[in-house]
Amino acid sequence: MKAVIMAGGKGSRLRPLTCNTPKPMVPLLNRPCMEYIVELLLRHGINEIGVTVQYLSEVIKNYFSDGADFGVNLHYFEETKPLGTAGSVKNAETFLDETFIVISGDGLTDFDLEKAIAFHREKGAIATLVLTRVNTPLEYGVVMTDETGRIKRFLEKPSWSEVFSDTVNTGIYILEPEVLKYFEKDVVYDFGNDLFPMLLNDGQPMYGYVAEGYWSDIGNLQQYRQTQFDMLDKKVKVRINANEVDPGIFLEDNAVIPERVKLTAPVYVGSHCSIHEKAVISEYSVLGRNNILLSGTSLQRSIVWDGSHLGSGAELQGSTICSHVQIGNSATLFEGSVIGPSCTIGAKSSVRPNVKLWPNKHVQDNSTIHTSLIWGEQMMSNLFGSHGVSGIANVDITPDFVSRLASSYGAILPQGSTIAISSSSHPFAEMIKNAITAGLHSAGIHTLDQGATISAVARATVRRLRLEGAIHVRIVNSQGEKRVLVEFMDSEGLPITKNVERKIENSFFQEDYVRSNMDRIGATRHYTHAGDDYIRNLIEDLRIEPVRNAAIKMVLQYDQNALGFLASQWIRHLNCRVMTYHSTESSTTELSQMVKNNGAEFGVYIDENGQGMVLITEEGAIVDEDLLLALKVMVLFKNKKHSTIGIPVSAPHIIETIAANLNGNVIRTKENARAMMEVCSDKKFHPLFDDLYMLSKIVEYMALEKLTLTQILNQIPQFYIVREEVPCPWSDKGRIMRTLMNLSRDKSVELVDGIKIFTDDGWVLILPDLDEPTFKIIAQSQSFQHAKSMIATYSKMIVDSYQAKA
């Protein structure tokens, strides 16, 4: 049998380790990662191996040559440009004339490949994906199979609501040669995104084999370190090229350790190191070859490549040091710091946690380095949350951070693009807006400053002026804590796609963006009429005369600072009799009392971004969020301007009945805003995310039909829906989703977003929260008691599942 090792990746997330070194050549316990893969293949009788190369290919070829020194025959297939995973393997098509295995050269595993191959042949598969189970599947391809192992569905890098299993694609495939006939040579083509979905749609026999053993995708700096710690702990069955002189003490040949050097297992020391007897090498430290450690040097959980010099009293605490680095006397490097090749750290300097230095940087004596070319890798999964980029003011979200974030965004835009910029009226939000403006200008992107406004106005401006996108900064209240939220919108005013988010993240973490020439930086234009234009378009969309004639009486509670101008303009145009109540937070008790005391026809609270309405009837009753959504849909369809509306999968099913009775169409979508907005038939406004517009439509309907709010609500058939949140550790989410899927195999299930299970008299939806370690459970039934019973049943399943593991 033949194999292909994919070894062409740049390893961008491992920089600065991979600035001068291809990812497969990054050392694990002093040997290139790819060498362990070659040994694995040879151990399972595979010695004819193709290697796809592209980035720094000569480094790989010079080390492995023809493979003879490693007991194998290597054949190289080089890409002149990146072709994707499948596209690179297509280059080796003439070599692959029999069943073959594809494996990455930049991961570490001890899987029994022979068992996987036997499974492939037993099933008569055209493609077998080797799978494993992980705690957090977000960065991998989730794969779902039936009882026989046949693949039913897979999702590349899913969100939590799409994690229907903790079984993921390891990037190891057993394939028949005919799969390469499905696409042309020299085109960008990916196994997970392109080829496998095609095979699945074509009905080809594709299977998933769940392998036992160790697997690590060395995709980031944290995992790079952890993989070597796992090797020292013998969690993976690989050959360690050193002598274990004492339990957990690994010394290469020609590694001489003075008797008084303090070693705390597990540690690894390479050959020809010069170590002073007063040096201290503590647990989980790895020393490469030809390093010099002077008196008082201290290493703890640190990795040092080859040929570095560590001065007297230098302390490394959880640091990774590339080759030929000079570290001065009494310098201190903290947890997560990474120093690129040929850097110099001056005496008594301090490199703070998670700071990274690119190759050939020089730090002067007595310096403290707080920032780096790239921020800490732990931010990768959290940079974009469910609504944008958010964090604590002046802790997570700082002017420096958002300036670089904006430059990263600018890097993926066409030069000379114009982006609309806006913020809420809070001074900190305005400051962050200005820092974002500077970052965009530095990348050669122009800005259109709308000043202080709301998201709906920003969306309308982008569409009306045909700009490339928008950024809006506002303050949000998350679980009682004020946080800053940076929203990114595309040219349609929709939240940007996940694909664009990843491009921004990649640019941010690689700091791979262009700084414009000083004569070509971006410029700002101020657009002071954005709010006026929005209100004018809103009024034009109404049958305004009946509304003005009705002179509806309401109590309106809102934040004067945020919505003052827009609200006053809106009130004036509608001729409503409005009692205003200025407050930054909803106080439903006071609002309800004001409605009753003043004989108002309804009361409404609008949050500071115009995107969180609370409605009170003339009787003082609060309209709950599910009934409010049904009301919105009914009003919009009766208005006849909206033929299709997107609603979340958790919405009550009575909405379909309402839509059908009014010749409207609703499309169930994921819970996120973009999914709902992009299917809406009227692109001018997005009513479910625009309170002023939606409130206008409710007022219009009341005026035209001459009905009270209670009378309108009574037109909606009664339904019962219950919601609950269940805490769950992040590490158990994927496993619990798989457990729930297995328990639901014989039930009617919908997988639009989360797991929605239908019963004879309702449904229950289990939805992992994207931002918090919780599950949301929503149930609808013919009675309140039965809905609560379903919630209790599935809540217990979740709790029992993670407690059983504990």
Side-chain angles (χ1 to χ4, degrees):
M1 191 174 190
K2 294 179 179 179
V4 176
I5 297 176
M6 294 185 293
K10 290 185 177 181
S12 300
R13 290 183 295 157
L14 283 178
R15 291 179 180 175
L17 306 187
T18 52
C19 286
N20 303 330
T21 304
K23 188 178 176 186
M25 297 301 292
V26 169
L28 301 176
L29 300 189
N30 286 5
R31 290 199 293 154
C33 179
M34 181 174 147
E35 188 172 334
Y36 295 96
I37 298 301
V38 171
E39 288 186 353
L40 175 73
L41 293 170
L42 184 61
R43 189 159 66 244
H44 291 286
I46 302 171
N47 60 7
E48 290 292 329
I49 303 170
V51 183
T52 65
V53 292
Q54 199 259 327
Y55 176 66
L56 298 176
S57 60
E58 292 306 313
V59 177
I60 297 173
K61 293 177 182 178
N62 290 341
Y63 183 88
F64 286 101
S65 188
D66 62 1
D69 292 344
F70 301 89
V72 297
N73 297 317
L74 297 182
H75 310 264
Y76 295 97
F77 301 91
E78 187 158 5
E79 306 165 62
T80 56
K81 62 179 181 179
L83 292 173
T85 52
S88 67
V89 173
K90 178 79 172 182
N91 277 349
E93 186 170 16
T94 55
F95 169 70
L96 301 171
D97 53 2
E98 59 184 59
T99 304
F100 61 96
I101 187 167
V102 175
I103 190 167
S104 295
D106 50 24
L108 187 70
T109 183
D110 58 9
F111 287 162
D112 189 331
L113 301 180
E114 291 175 71
K115 286 185 177 179
I117 294 166
F119 175 90
H120 173 83
R121 287 174 170 154
E122 174 194 334
K123 298 296 183 180
I126 192 172
T128 295
L129 283 63
V130 178
L131 313 176
T132 192
R133 293 194 169 99
V134 297
N135 290 332
T136 307
L138 300 185
E139 287 303 310
Y140 308 104
V142 171
V143 180
M144 297 172 62
T145 63
D146 62 17
E147 296 85 349
T148 69
R150 186 155 184 159
I151 293 173
K152 300 189 299 180
R153 185 178 182 184
F154 50 85
L155 293 159
E156 278 296 302
K157 295 186 178 179
S159 64
W160 268 120
S161 62
E162 297 172 311
V163 174
F164 306 119
S165 173
D166 60 353
T167 307
V168 302
N169 178 7
T170 65
I172 303 173
Y173 314 126
I174 303 160
L175 305 173
E176 295 302 319
E178 54 262 38
V179 300
L180 299 178
K181 305 296 182 186
Y182 274 77
F183 59 99
E184 299 299 319
K185 191 176 181 180
D186 295 326
V187 297
V188 178
Y189 216 73
D190 188 74
F191 281 119
N193 289 324
D194 302 313
L195 180 59
F196 294 150
M198 181 182 290
L199 295 176
L200 199 61
N201 291 336
D202 203 29
Q204 293 291 346
M206 289 179 58
Y207 284 81
Y209 172 77
V210 182
E212 299 294 330
Y214 181 91
W215 175 74
S216 174
D217 170 37
I218 305 169
N220 58 52
L221 291 162
Q222 181 181 356
Q223 193 59 38
Y224 170 71
R225 288 162 47 77
Q226 186 60 50
T227 299
Q228 293 182 80
F229 299 162
D230 291 343
M231 294 170 77
L232 291 174
D233 284 336
K234 301 179 182 178
K235 292 182 179 179
V236 52
K237 298 173 185 175
V238 293
R239 180 177 67 88
I240 295 179
N241 192 30
N243 304 306
E244 190 172 9
V245 296
D246 281 313
I249 306 294
F250 297 92
L251 304 181
E252 289 186 2
D253 293 339
N254 301 312
V256 180
I257 307 295
E259 289 185 6
R260 293 179 62 185
V261 171
K262 184 177 179 181
L263 298 177
T264 305
V267 297
Y268 186 104
V269 180
S271 61
H272 301 294
C273 287
S274 175
I275 303 174
H276 192 278
E277 61 183 12
K278 291 186 179 180
V280 176
I281 304 175
S282 297
E283 65 273 9
Y284 297 107
S285 290
V286 178
L287 273 176
R289 303 173 183 90
N290 303 305
N291 292 297
I292 298 173
L293 281 66
L294 299 187
S295 175
T297 299
S298 173
L299 269 66
Q300 184 174 15
R301 301 181 74 86
S302 293
I303 296 167
V304 181
W305 289 10
D306 299 338
S308 290
H309 184 283
L310 282 61
S312 298
E315 291 187 38
L316 276 63
Q317 304 172 15
S319 187
T320 303
I321 310 296
C322 292
S323 298
H324 309 299
V325 172
Q326 303 291 316
I327 298 179
N329 296 341
S330 301
T332 305
L333 284 73
F334 288 94
E335 183 73 27
S337 58
V338 184
I339 310 301
S342 303
C343 285
T344 300
I345 309 297
K348 298 182 181 179
S349 292
S350 174
V351 180
R352 308 308 292 174
N354 300 314
V355 165
K356 301 172 188 171
L357 297 184
W358 247 230
N360 306 303
K361 297 295 181 288
H362 180 83
V363 175
Q364 295 182 351
D365 294 351
N366 300 297
S367 299
T368 298
I369 310 302
H370 292 280
T371 59
S372 60
L373 294 177
I374 289 184
W375 280 49
E377 190 64 41
Q378 76 276 7
M379 292 180 62
M380 186 63 179
S381 61
N382 297 327
L383 196 55
F384 278 88
S386 54
H387 302 292
V389 178
S390 69
I392 301 169
N394 258 350
V395 176
D396 304 312
I397 305 296
T398 65
D400 174 64
F401 167 75
V402 298
S403 176
R404 288 186 287 166
L405 178 65
S407 295
S408 303
Y409 180 38
I412 69 171
L413 294 169
Q415 279 288 301
S417 297
T418 299
I419 297 296
I421 301 292
S422 57
S423 71
S424 68
S425 59
H426 193 286
F428 190 86
E430 291 184 5
M431 180 185 74
I432 292 299
K433 179 194 72 175
N434 293 335
I436 289 171
T437 299
L440 288 172
H441 287 181
S442 74
I445 304 300
H446 303 300
T447 55
L448 185 76
D449 192 335
Q450 303 177 85
T453 189
I454 61 175
S455 298
V457 173
R459 285 195 293 270
T461 298
V462 169
R463 292 193 302 272
R464 185 169 56 253
L465 300 183
R466 298 181 180 179
L467 305 180
E468 281 76 17
I471 299 178
H472 181 70
V473 184
R474 58 189 175 99
I475 309 299
V476 296
N477 194 326
S478 176
Q479 298 183 338
E481 178 184 51
K482 292 285 187 181
R483 297 173 71 85
V484 184
L485 174 64
V486 183
E487 296 179 287
F488 288 75
M489 305 175 197
D490 66 12
S491 59
E492 295 295 319
L494 305 179
I496 59 174
T497 65
K498 291 294 180 186
N499 185 45
V500 174
E501 287 180 359
R502 286 199 175 100
K503 287 180 179 179
I504 295 171
E505 285 177 338
N506 289 339
S507 177
F508 180 86
F509 288 109
Q510 298 166 29
E511 203 160 273
D512 188 18
Y513 45 76
V514 176
R515 299 291 192 188
S516 286
N517 181 284
M518 63 180 291
D519 296 322
R520 295 181 181 177
I521 61 171
T524 290
R525 288 185 293 129
H526 291 276
Y527 182 46
T528 59
H529 304 297
D532 290 324
D533 291 343
Y534 165 80
I535 291 293
R536 185 180 65 255
N537 288 338
L538 188 155
I539 299 304
E540 288 174 353
D541 199 73
L542 293 175
R543 283 165 280 188
I544 193 64
E545 288 307 317
V547 173
R548 288 172 174 165
N549 293 335
I552 289 173
K553 187 176 183 181
M554 73 175 81
V555 178
L556 176 61
Q557 179 190 349
Y558 66 96
D559 182 349
Q560 172 68 21
N561 293 326
L563 287 173
F565 168 77
L566 289 174
S568 63
Q569 289 285 88
W570 181 80
I571 292 167
R572 181 174 63 83
H573 280 288
L574 266 64
N575 192 38
C576 291
R577 292 175 294 158
V578 179
M579 288 161 287
T580 57
Y581 170 38
H582 298 152
S583 174
T584 58
E585 295 183 6
S586 171
S587 176
T588 52
T589 302
E590 289 186 42
L591 185 57
S592 175
Q593 197 61 48
M594 286 184 69
V595 170
K596 290 188 290 184
N597 290 346
N598 290 279
E601 293 173 67
F602 69 88
V604 62
Y605 162 77
I606 299 179
D607 80 357
E608 61 182 14
N609 193 49
Q611 203 169 298
M613 181 193 300
V614 177
L615 204 57
I616 309 286
T617 71
E618 74 279 9
E619 298 169 351
I622 301 168
V623 181
D624 73 53
E625 60 179 300
D626 293 300
L627 182 57
L628 179 58
L629 178 58
L631 170 67
K632 290 177 179 179
V633 172
M634 183 177 75
V635 168
L636 290 169
F637 282 143
K638 286 203 173 188
N639 178 264
K640 303 298 183 185
K641 286 196 175 182
H642 297 264
S643 59
T644 301
I645 297 172
I647 60 170
V649 68
S650 62
H653 272 243
I654 196 67
I655 290 177
E656 273 85 354
T657 304
I658 293 171
N661 291 338
L662 297 172
N663 297 316
N665 179 40
V666 293
I667 297 176
R668 294 271 170 175
T669 75
K670 296 181 185 300
E671 298 285 309
N672 69 74
R674 180 183 176 86
M676 286 183 267
M677 288 182 185
E678 64 186 348
V679 300
C680 190
S681 57
D682 185 351
K683 303 298 183 184
K684 192 174 182 181
F685 293 95
H686 294 287
L688 301 186
F689 298 89
D690 187 341
D691 285 350
L692 280 180
Y693 177 79
M694 194 64 246
L695 187 57
S696 302
K697 288 298 176 185
I698 293 173
V699 169
E700 179 189 58
Y701 185 66
M702 292 174 67
L704 291 170
E705 299 295 324
K706 297 181 174 55
L707 295 173
T708 67
L709 184 56
T710 299
Q711 288 171 332
I712 295 172
L713 292 170
N714 287 338
Q715 296 176 4
I716 300 171
Q718 195 169 25
F719 60 89
Y720 302 94
I721 192 164
V722 180
R723 298 169 183 267
E724 185 173 303
E725 288 194 4
V726 181
C728 171
W730 284 110
S731 59
D732 289 323
K733 275 189 173 182
R735 181 177 56 81
I736 289 171
M737 287 292 279
R738 172 172 53 85
T739 300
L740 293 172
M741 282 298 299
N742 289 337
L743 293 172
S744 308
R745 284 188 184 276
D746 59 344
K747 296 180 173 63
S748 175
V749 174
E750 181 182 84
L751 301 177
V752 173
D753 205 14
I755 304 172
K756 193 171 190 178
I757 303 162
F758 293 90
T759 64
D760 292 339
D761 61 351
W763 51 264
V764 61
L765 173 67
I766 300 101
L767 194 64
D769 192 278
L770 271 65
D771 302 316
E772 302 294 335
T774 59
F775 276 88
K776 295 177 182 177
I777 309 179
I778 304 105
Q780 181 180 321
S781 185
Q782 295 175 0
S783 72
F784 182 74
Q785 290 74 17
H786 190 253
K788 285 193 70 174
S789 173
M790 287 195 290
I791 291 274
T793 298
Y794 283 94
S795 175
K796 186 175 186 302
M797 284 184 188
I798 292 170
V799 173
D800 288 350
S801 183
Y802 74 75
Q803 286 184 347
K805 181 186 176 186

